[in-house]
Amino acid sequence: EYEFPVSAIISTAKFRSMPHLFRPLALAMYEAMVEANLDGYPQVVVSVPLHPSRRRERGFDQALYLARLVAGYLDRSFCPRALKRVRATPPQKRSNRQQRLVALHEAFGPGPQAARVEGRRVLLVDDVVTTGATLEAAVQALLPQLPAGIVSLVAARTPPPDTCAAAAGSPGADASTADVSAADASSADAGSQGADASGADVSAADASTAGPPGGGPDNRCIADKRQS
């Protein structure tokens, strides 16, 4: 969950421009995939992109940074430009799920590397999930590229606003997911890896227990070394 010390790591990394603090979180995210028996599922890793204006303001894209590291641990392709943020949205901290879905409608679109997800199983990476609206919007932007399936992976979950607590974690039919936290990842059902772009949301909620990795691959689309 998004609580100390994970919350402190994420907020410090994002708002004080210290992306190296995400490295232990990336390792915990990879370990959550392993514990959920999902590490062999993805063939390509994609991040949920920031809008260019937000990236300039922050100095880096935290989801891209995490995805690059996770792709290295998984030894899978990383395509940082499969998605692009086509519309800036205001902060959604106090918005409920329905408000977020409206605000994020068509906020994402296909990027220059979008064709690389066709027929492939995708791991979609973001730093934090609250109601799942951002992930759902990103999934909807990926679906026209005809991926074989999509699994989302985040570093932590934040408690949703009270007004959307009942709806949290319940995306639409095309992006249906099952929440899996790192604490119970070993009990995840990895057998539901169908070709309908549905998958499991895996959260590295116990990231604070992870040690720092040695680093990750550079920011480019890396060829698969293992084909599934």
Side-chain angles (χ1 to χ4, degrees):
E1 299 297 330
Y2 190 76
E3 56 189 25
F4 187 84
V6 175
S7 58
I9 293 172
I10 293 175
S11 62
T12 300
K14 287 170 67 170
F15 302 116
R16 296 189 182 181
S17 193
M18 302 174 70
H20 63 278
L21 296 180
F22 280 119
R23 289 180 177 177
L25 297 184
L27 179 59
M29 294 164 76
Y30 163 71
E31 290 173 344
M33 291 286 289
V34 172
E35 291 173 8
N37 295 318
L38 289 170
D39 54 309
Y41 176 81
Q43 294 171 305
V44 61
V45 179
V46 174
S47 58
V48 176
L50 286 178
H51 189 268
S53 61
R54 184 66 60 83
R55 182 172 178 176
R56 286 193 297 270
E57 176 185 318
R58 187 163 294 164
F60 71 103
D61 183 331
Q62 67 276 1
L64 185 149
Y65 190 91
L66 286 167
R68 184 174 65 234
L69 292 169
V70 171
Y73 291 129
L74 291 170
D75 196 16
R76 290 294 188 263
S77 296
F78 173 47
C79 292
R81 295 181 296 163
L83 279 176
K84 65 179 179 181
R85 193 76 170 247
V86 297
R87 183 168 55 80
T89 53
Q92 304 293 312
K93 185 175 182 180
R94 299 185 183 279
S95 302
N96 63 30
R97 176 175 167 78
Q98 188 58 41
Q99 292 168 331
R100 292 176 188 223
L101 286 171
V102 171
L104 290 160
H105 180 63
E106 296 186 344
F108 300 99
Q113 294 177 322
R116 295 176 183 265
V117 308
E118 182 178 354
R120 307 178 81 186
R121 299 186 299 272
V122 176
L123 178 64
L124 181 63
V125 175
D126 204 357
D127 61 332
V128 175
V129 63
T130 302
T131 67
T134 300
L135 287 173
E136 181 172 348
V139 166
Q140 294 300 326
L142 283 173
L143 288 178
Q145 311 308 316
L146 302 177
I150 299 173
V151 167
S152 57
L153 175 67
V154 300
R157 296 190 193 93
T158 63
D162 292 341
T163 52
C164 67
S170 38
D174 288 334
S176 57
T177 60
D179 288 333
V180 184
S181 69
D184 63 3
S186 60
S187 64
D189 179 8
S192 58
Q193 302 161 358
D196 59 353
S198 62
D201 282 344
V202 183
S203 172
D206 62 352
S208 60
T209 63
D218 58 9
N219 185 5
R220 57 192 174 88
C221 194
I222 306 163
D224 282 342
K225 295 179 181 177
R226 298 180 307 202
Q227 298 294 331
S228 298

